């Protein structure tokens, strides 16, 4: 379904933390979670690991995966900072 819900984990957490939430959201629309570079099962990414870099990487990830907007961005804890940066950099 649409819009796609993007789940952004907190600072030192991973996509598996959404295991109870993701299936429930999936009942009504498409939902995606992922492991940022350096977390979970992902390899480390380039420095600095700041919100702008993380937003750029998420934008590239969504484009490469063919996941079209619109998005509903959901950030848990520090993930809230990342999704706010994404929304400010990519307001569409």
């Amino acid at each position: 379904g649409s819009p796609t819900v993007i789940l952004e984990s907190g600072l030192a957490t991973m996509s598996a933390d959404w295991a109870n939430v993701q299936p429930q959201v999936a009942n009504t629309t498409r939902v995606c979670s992922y492991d940022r570079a350096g977390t979970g099962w992902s390899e480390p990414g380039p420095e600095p690991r700041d919100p702008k870099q993380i937003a750029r990487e998420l934008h590239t990830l969504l484009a490469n995966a063919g996941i079209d907007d619109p998005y509903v961005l959901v950030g848990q804890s520090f993930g809230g900072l990342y999704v706010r940066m994404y929304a400010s950099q990519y307001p569409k």
Side-chain angles (χ1 to χ4, degrees), residues 24-81:
Q24 296 298 316
V25 177
N27 286 326
T28 58
T29 194
R30 184 178 194 180
V31 59
C32 302
S33 61
Y34 74 106
D35 292 326
R36 286 184 307 279
T39 65
W41 293 281
S42 291
E43 297 293 322
E47 298 289 334
R49 301 305 305 154
D50 62 20
K52 283 187 178 183
Q53 177 64 26
I54 290 167
R56 282 191 295 273
E57 291 173 3
L58 176 56
H59 186 69
T60 300
L61 171 69
L62 294 170
N64 289 347
I67 302 171
D68 296 325
D69 56 24
Y71 309 121
V72 172
L73 303 169
V74 178
Q76 180 267 330
S77 188
F78 218 77
L81 178 62

Side-chain angles (χ1 to χ4, degrees), residues 8-14 17-18 36 39 75-80 82:
E8 182 73 54
S9 299
L11 184 62
T13 61
M14 59 188 290
D17 291 344
W18 294 105
R36 286 184 307 279
T39 65
Q76 180 267 330
S77 188
F78 218 77
Y82 301 144

